[in-house]
Amino acid sequence: MAKRGRKEKDNWKKKRRQEYLEKKEFRYYIFCEGQATEPKYFEGFKRYIEDNPIYRDMVLIEIEGCQAETMRVIGKAEEYVRKNKIAKGQIWCVYDKDSFPASDVNGVVQRAEVLNQKNPDVQYYAAWSNECIEFWFMLHFAYYTANNHRSEYKKFLNEKLTKFLIIFS
């Protein structure tokens, strides 16, 4: 009797996984500017959903660290959707505003609007944060509305956190 070929066995696995994924009602694909910090942040949400028996079989969350900025994030998202033949879902492009020009930051929103006209089942969204994560940490200590550079945030946090032996460099 002839052995099954490795390729045939792999195709069976891919087909079964595809059938399983198609049963997921809600699909979210998150493309992050960073390759480490942001994906870890969203992995926490994913883990929380996957651990919940109510949502586990309803929600699919895929997270991709892009190591790219603004317009390149949405470009990588488009490439992923095309390459993986994504037919349904929400595509989230997450990036920091940093000091990129407004045309780049807003360009993602404009590109998403164009893509959303093409296929109502695959919708793109842009989500951006302020200059840095330190700002979010700072908001735990004080209401802060000034538009300062990252060095000012670090100075503020170092004053608050030195009693815990935590220092931002």
Side-chain angles (χ1 to χ4, degrees):
M1 181 191 247
K3 281 188 169 182
R4 282 179 131 181
R6 176 86 174 143
K7 194 172 188 176
E8 185 180 325
K9 191 174 185 180
D10 289 344
N11 287 339
W12 175 81
K13 287 180 185 177
K14 288 179 185 176
K15 183 178 178 186
R16 178 156 181 192
R17 177 169 161 75
Q18 187 62 31
E19 289 170 357
Y20 171 74
L21 293 179
E22 286 173 0
K23 292 181 182 177
K24 302 273 184 165
E25 184 178 352
F26 303 100
R27 299 178 192 156
Y28 302 94
Y29 300 88
I30 303 170
F31 295 85
C32 304
E33 176 183 43
Q35 204 162 0
T37 307
E38 292 92 342
K40 285 180 184 176
Y41 178 78
F42 289 110
E43 283 292 337
F45 289 115
K46 179 179 179 176
R47 203 169 32 257
Y48 182 76
I49 288 169
E50 288 175 346
D51 290 346
N52 187 322
I54 295 170
Y55 300 116
R56 175 180 338 172
D57 296 327
M58 294 172 46
V59 179
L60 167 73
I61 298 176
E62 294 288 334
I63 302 161
E64 294 288 325
C66 296
Q67 196 171 2
E69 73 290 329
T70 58
M71 292 302 291
R72 289 183 50 219
V73 172
I74 196 163
K76 293 210 178 228
E78 286 181 73
E79 181 181 324
Y80 181 94
V81 168
R82 189 172 39 257
K83 181 180 172 186
N84 292 286
K85 298 177 175 72
I86 306 297
K88 178 183 175 186
Q90 291 186 16
I91 314 301
W92 284 88
C93 301
V94 181
Y95 51 93
D96 293 334
K97 183 185 177 303
D98 288 340
S99 56
F100 296 114
S103 60
D104 288 358
V105 175
N106 296 330
V108 178
V109 176
Q110 293 164 351
R111 180 69 185 146
E113 289 171 354
V114 169
L115 292 168
N116 291 344
Q117 296 298 316
K118 293 180 179 181
N119 183 354
D121 292 329
V122 177
Q123 293 290 292
Y124 289 77
Y125 299 91
W128 65 89
S129 68
N130 288 320
E131 184 172 345
C132 57
I133 191 70
E134 292 88 352
F135 181 72
W136 297 103
F137 294 143
M138 194 172 65
L139 291 175
H140 287 285
F141 295 102
Y143 179 74
Y144 197 89
T145 59
N147 186 14
N148 290 331
H149 188 268
R150 173 181 312 216
S151 60
E152 292 298 316
Y153 303 155
K154 289 178 183 179
K155 192 185 318 177
F156 176 90
L157 285 169
N158 284 334
E159 289 173 10
K160 296 290 184 186
L161 296 174
T162 50
K163 63 183 170 189
F164 300 110
L165 300 175
I166 300 170
I167 298 174
F168 281 88
S169 55

